[in-house]
Amino acid sequence: MFEPTVIIAAASLVGLCVTAMALLKAWQGWLSLKQRELESQSRDIEGSVGMTGGVGAARIEIADLKERIKKLEAIASGVDL
């Protein structure tokens, strides 16, 4: 009735579709997990920084700390700014 090659090809196609759907569902779950992590981090940053700026204020603070580190490294190496 059916050729064995057709049956194998159809089964492979079905298996590929099932695998693709499972991977897509896992990817969407991982993305939603990361989104929830980012939202909780932004709420934690707003609470710990004590500013209403949230992430923007934290980035400014990090940039300020990086500038201080550069100045301290320059002082340690003997370079005059």
Side-chain angles (χ1 to χ4, degrees), residues 10-72:
S12 298
L13 184 61
V14 169
L16 180 65
C17 289
V18 168
T19 304
M21 292 301 290
L23 289 174
L24 180 62
K25 182 71 174 170
W27 176 252
Q28 289 173 346
W30 185 80
L31 287 177
S32 67
L33 173 71
K34 290 299 177 183
Q35 184 178 9
R36 280 183 274 151
E37 285 179 0
L38 288 173
E39 288 171 357
S40 71
Q41 284 179 356
S42 68
R43 279 182 268 149
D44 291 344
I45 289 173
E46 287 176 2
S48 66
V49 173
M51 298 181 187
T52 58
V55 176
R59 287 183 180 167
I60 291 172
E61 187 174 345
I62 289 173
D64 184 44
L65 290 173
K66 286 181 180 179
E67 186 65 32
R68 288 181 188 178
I69 289 172
K70 285 181 185 177
K71 287 180 181 179
L72 288 173

Side-chain angles (χ1 to χ4, degrees), residues 1-12:
M1 179 126 158
F2 287 109
E3 292 273 334
T5 308
V6 174
I7 295 173
I8 292 172
S12 298

